[in-house]
Each structure stands twice: as C-alpha cells, then as structure tokens.
Amino acid sequence: MITPLRFLQLCVLSMVLPTTSATTASASMLSGGEDGLHAEILRDEAVARLNQLGKVSDADGYLERTFMSPASVRAASLIRAWMEDAGLTTWVDYMGNVHGRVEGLNASAEALLIGSHLDTVVDAGIFDGNGTLTNLIRPVEVIAFSDEEGVRFQSTFLGSAAVAGILPVSALQISDKSGVNVQDALRENSIAITEENLFRLKYDPQSVWGYIEVHIEQGPVLEWVGFPLGVVKGIAGQTRLKITVRGTQGHAGTVPMSLRQDPMAASAELIILLESLCKSPKDFLSYDGHCNDSTVESLSNSLVCTVGEISTWPSASNVIPGQVTFTVDLRAMDDMGREAALYELSNRMYEICARRSVSCIIERKHDANAVISDSELTSELKFAANAALKRITGEIQDEVPVLMSGAGHDAMAMSHLTKVGMLFVRCRGGVSHSPAEHVLDDDVWAAGLAILAFLEMHSAALAEESHTGGRDEGITVVVGMINSVQ
C-alpha cells in the first residue's frame, strides 16, 4: 500500500523543485530503491521538478516570480496540486502561504512542518533550497511561504514572519512601485487579510521543536573545498536602506558645472563612500563605546554592501536629474558592528550632501539581526550529512565544513519562534540570483539523503521515548528546500 507519507516525500521535493508523474515516482519511493538511496526520487525527480517550477515566470526569457504576482499564484497552484496529488489536505492562509497536511500515525502529536518560499528575485536561478522526510510518527505539514525575497515590497520574509508571529500589522500597508499595498495584493487574489486574522497565523511556540532549512550555499566555499554539503553556524544580520537625493533639475547644456546641484553626481560619491567603508571599515570606524577590536575585526571579515537598484527623475539624457533614488543592502555577522557602520555611513552621507547643496533622505526599510544556529541541530545536521555522503560513496568522509551565511533565509524569521539549523548545498562557482545558478544532480541527491538521515535519527529517538514512557513532546521541524527562488 502506498501511504500518504510516502506520497508526501515526493510532494515535498515537488515544492521547490519541478516533474514526472507522482504515480511513477511513488512506486519507486514505495520500495526506497534496491539500495535504499532513493536516487530516482531524491535526485532524478527532484531535479526534474526544479526545472518544471523554474519555468513558471512572469517574464519571458528569465525567471521572475514576486509576491502575489500571476506567476507566483500559478506556482502556488502547482504546488498545491502536487500536495493534493500526494494525498494531503491543503489550504492557503491569509498571507498566501500554501499548506498541505497529513495526520500521520499520531494525529494528536505536535506536527512536523516543512517549509520553503516560492517567490524569486528578478532574473533568478532555479536552485535555492531542497529536502524531504521519512516516516515519522506524527502529523506532517508542508508550507510554501509566499515571500522571502522581498523584491516587490522591499520587506522580506512576509510569509515566514507571519507564521513566526513577528510580522507587524503595518506591513499590510507597505506599497510597491505601482502603489499597490500588501493588503491590496492579497485581496486581488481573493485573500481577505485583516489585522485580526494576521495575528491568527502565528504558530504556537509550545508546539514547535525546531526549524531546519536546506539551501544552496550561494557562495563559493563548498566548491572551493570540494565538499557537496556544509552546515551553517549562523546568518548575517542585514539592513536595507532607501536613499533619496534631491537637487535642482535643469538643462544639460545651459547650467554651468560650478552652479549645479546635481543629485546624480552626489549619489555617485555616496556610492563610492559606501564601497570604501565596506572594503575597509577599520579606516572609518573609531574605537569607542560602539566599536572595539573584535567588532572591527568581525566587520573586516564579514561586512558586505551592495547598491542593487537606482532610479532618476525625470531620467532623460539631456536633463540634469532633479532626484535620484537608490537602495543599499548592508550585511554583517556582528549586529553592533553593523549598527556602527550604518551610523558612520549616514553621518558621512549627510556631510557629502550638505557640501554639494543637495538634500538626502535615508530610510531604513528592513532590519534583521544576525542569527546563531542551534548547536544541537548543527551537530545533528553534520552527522546526517556525513551519513548521507557515506551512503552514496561507501566511504567515510572528511569533516563537513561549517559556514556562516551572508544571505538571508526564512530561518531568520523562524528563529523568533524556535531554534534553527541549516544545511548548505554546493553551487557552481558560488553563483546565485542569476540564470547561471547551478547545482549538481548528485548534490541535490546528497541533500535529500542528509535530511532523510536527520529525520530517521529523530524518528528513532521519538519512538524510543514513547516506548519508555518518556514525555511525548513531538517534533515540529520546518525544513526549507532547494527552492526555485532567488
């Protein structure tokens, strides 16, 4: 008999990966393969589904899928169909997150949650998370988070923050470039979000044991050391700024250079300042109550800054702009150091704008503190990764690398709800947020086997605890998967 949980294994991979038929895949899953390595599902089917979901896009020629966009809605429908095909009970919550649930052997136990996000950046790659599960003795719920990237509304983690209970009501009024706010975007898709039902989305922390997320590294370290998997010891804190520089609009040919109040030239100097500070923070930061040796050293090793978007008005080749707006993405492992860098950056930006006789408005659009992974989960993921690689190669592997993540993940939001752990998967050249993003099929396979090993380990522990009359606390683990996102 093909159990719903076996179907769910295929469905979980489907969420962010894209497929052949569920029936064909489930037949292979039923036996687990002759060698117990599930290659047909955890490798072949997973990669096929990545490719399928990677074709669901709002743009022709590249991948783009933002919060509540037409492609995002189509992707959610596809994921929901896969869930229903797997025998799950499905629903969409008030933030557009897609849920699928099977009650398992003990419907009264706390649920195992498996989550990932279905949105992407513009011109994205198709890899970006991956996982699966084994036959645990409690309910299993799959969640496809509606937004993690924050591209449309410049506010990340809308989906997971709602589940974690940290999304403020004010987030519903954040508007995109077209003036549509989050609440309107949901209502346009027949989701009547209100302040009251936003609060109802929060999960009960007492029902949650932990959160695990599996994701491509989005960096070059694993490829450089020649290892397919790595565990994450923490995630960098991040701040997003919107900088608006206003000057005097004028004719490009008639206003002398000495009389110009040019916001474009001022913005160029501001961006060079940003680059210089982030390349060499020790040259800008003073050793006072906010910065000590360890803080500056941490910034020197982890501080990164990016201007990813810039726009001008009126944006004509023969007009001195009247206004320039650009974004700043600043990340660091040390929260105090990040704040010190932002303080210094803001002060120097205002000085430059004053000297150039232009106005400067600095808005903080997003803040997330650094997250330290739970030591117990990290150790268990290392063990599971080693076990998976040994199953594939038949050999004992070297120590699994331990990395910091400079990229933000849903684990950051979920850390407000429970302890978190993450597993990284190697990606070619460290390239991500790009069509050139690529993961080896066998590395996808290794990641799936690692999560199986992790869950098998906990399944055995729970069964023993129940058998010996121990506390039946259950396990709520949210597993992020290689998503067709970012």
Side-chain angles (χ1 to χ4, degrees):
M1 177 180 178
I2 301 177
T3 67
L5 210 51
R6 286 300 189 188
F7 271 119
L8 182 58
Q9 287 180 296
L10 176 58
C11 176
V12 168
L13 290 169
S14 310
M15 267 186 60
V16 280
L17 316 176
T19 182
T20 64
S21 73
T23 303
T24 301
S26 63
S28 173
M29 183 68 82
L30 184 62
S31 65
E34 294 182 1
D35 54 8
L37 295 179
H38 309 286
E40 295 85 355
I41 303 302
L42 298 183
R43 182 186 62 202
D44 304 340
E45 184 72 3
V47 172
R49 293 195 173 208
L50 270 169
N51 291 329
Q52 181 181 344
L53 194 55
K55 295 176 181 177
V56 182
S57 176
D58 287 307
D60 294 329
Y62 60 89
L63 178 58
E64 177 182 349
R65 199 166 58 234
T66 59
F67 180 72
M68 288 293 114
S69 71
S72 178
V73 173
R74 292 199 304 273
S77 297
L78 178 60
I79 291 166
R80 188 173 185 178
W82 283 333
M83 290 178 176
E84 292 175 349
D85 212 30
L88 279 70
T89 300
T90 67
W91 70 96
V92 177
D93 69 25
Y94 286 110
M95 193 48 66
N97 300 317
V98 182
H99 301 249
R101 185 179 177 96
V102 61
E103 294 302 335
L105 302 177
N106 184 0
S108 63
E110 289 84 352
L112 165 68
L113 305 180
I114 300 178
S116 187
H117 61 107
L118 55 84
D119 66 317
T120 78
V121 297
V122 177
D123 203 16
I126 68 169
F127 300 88
D128 219 331
N130 173 355
T132 186
L133 61 120
T134 191
N135 193 9
L136 297 177
I137 55 173
R138 50 204 70 261
V140 176
E141 186 175 318
V142 180
I143 307 175
F145 293 123
S146 57
D147 172 88
E148 186 257 16
E149 299 290 359
V151 171
R152 180 174 180 182
F153 292 99
Q154 295 295 299
S155 182
T156 58
F157 311 131
L158 289 176
S160 53
V163 170
I166 61 169
L167 187 68
V169 174
S170 59
L172 298 178
Q173 303 308 316
I174 298 174
S175 297
D176 64 12
K177 295 176 181 178
S178 301
V180 177
N181 64 32
V182 171
Q183 189 170 35
D184 292 336
L186 289 162
R187 286 176 174 170
E188 287 172 1
N189 289 279
S190 302
I191 300 176
I193 182 72
T194 64
E195 179 176 336
E196 181 180 357
N197 52 39
L198 173 62
F199 291 138
R200 291 178 180 174
L201 292 178
K202 180 181 179 180
Y203 277 67
D204 180 3
Q206 297 301 316
S207 70
V208 179
W209 179 84
Y211 175 95
I212 305 171
E213 187 167 348
V214 183
H215 208 283
I216 63 169
E217 180 194 355
Q218 301 179 286
V221 176
L222 289 176
E223 186 176 56
W224 184 69
V225 299
F227 224 87
L229 302 176
V231 294
V232 179
K233 63 180 178 180
I235 306 171
Q238 58 183 266
T239 296
R240 290 186 183 181
L241 306 176
K242 178 183 177 182
I243 314 294
T244 303
V245 185
R246 294 192 178 102
T248 301
Q249 186 173 319
H251 195 290
T254 62
V255 181
M257 297 299 292
S258 60
L259 299 180
R260 296 189 180 197
Q261 296 172 312
D262 187 345
M264 178 61 80
S267 296
E269 186 173 351
L270 298 180
I271 293 170
I272 292 299
L273 165 68
L274 174 72
E275 181 187 41
S276 299
L277 187 153
C278 291
K279 279 186 173 181
S280 187
K282 65 181 182 297
D283 294 339
F284 290 82
L285 303 180
S286 59
Y287 293 83
D288 53 22
H290 297 288
C291 275
N292 52 35
D293 288 340
S294 61
T295 297
V296 174
E297 181 65 25
S298 174
L299 286 176
S300 297
N301 294 326
S302 70
L303 181 62
V304 291
C305 308
T306 303
V307 174
E309 183 178 354
I310 187 167
S311 62
T312 69
W313 178 261
S315 192
S317 61
N318 63 342
V319 178
I320 302 167
Q323 176 175 300
V324 175
T325 301
F326 63 93
T327 61
V328 170
D329 183 305
L330 188 148
R331 309 185 187 206
M333 300 301 177
D334 186 292
D335 288 331
M336 182 177 293
R338 176 168 51 89
E339 289 297 332
L342 287 165
Y343 178 80
E344 187 67 27
L345 175 67
S346 297
N347 284 342
R348 296 198 181 217
M349 280 187 164
Y350 287 131
E351 290 174 1
I352 290 171
C353 288
R355 172 167 48 82
R356 287 180 166 272
S357 299
V358 296
S359 70
C360 182
I361 300 173
I362 302 175
E363 300 175 83
R364 294 180 75 145
K365 306 298 288 187
H366 171 73
D367 278 292
N369 287 337
V371 170
I372 304 301
S373 299
D374 178 73
S375 58
E376 178 185 0
L377 287 178
T378 299
S379 296
E380 292 174 355
L381 285 170
K382 284 183 68 175
F383 180 89
N386 272 319
L389 295 171
K390 183 179 179 182
R391 289 173 73 177
I392 291 175
T393 66
E395 301 175 354
I396 297 177
Q397 301 296 306
D398 294 332
E399 187 78 2
V400 173
V402 179
L403 312 172
M404 291 296 294
S405 174
H409 302 285
D410 285 304
M412 298 186 80
M414 296 303 290
S415 69
H416 293 269
L417 181 69
T418 185
K419 61 186 181 182
V420 301
M422 286 192 68
L423 186 71
F424 269 168
V425 185
R426 173 174 57 190
C427 57
R428 184 174 61 194
V431 175
S432 184
H433 284 190
S434 163
E437 182 179 281
H438 180 75
V439 175
L440 295 174
D441 293 4
D442 281 355
D443 289 357
V444 174
W445 183 24
L449 282 174
I451 295 304
L452 276 174
F454 176 87
L455 295 173
E456 286 167 354
M457 185 166 51
H458 278 278
S459 179
L462 287 171
E464 177 63 23
E465 185 174 65
S466 176
H467 181 265
T468 57
R471 181 168 149 240
D472 184 21
E473 41 180 35
I475 178 173
T476 305
V477 181
V478 185
V479 182
M481 297 160 302
I482 293 181
N483 203 346
S484 169
V485 290
Q486 291 187 318

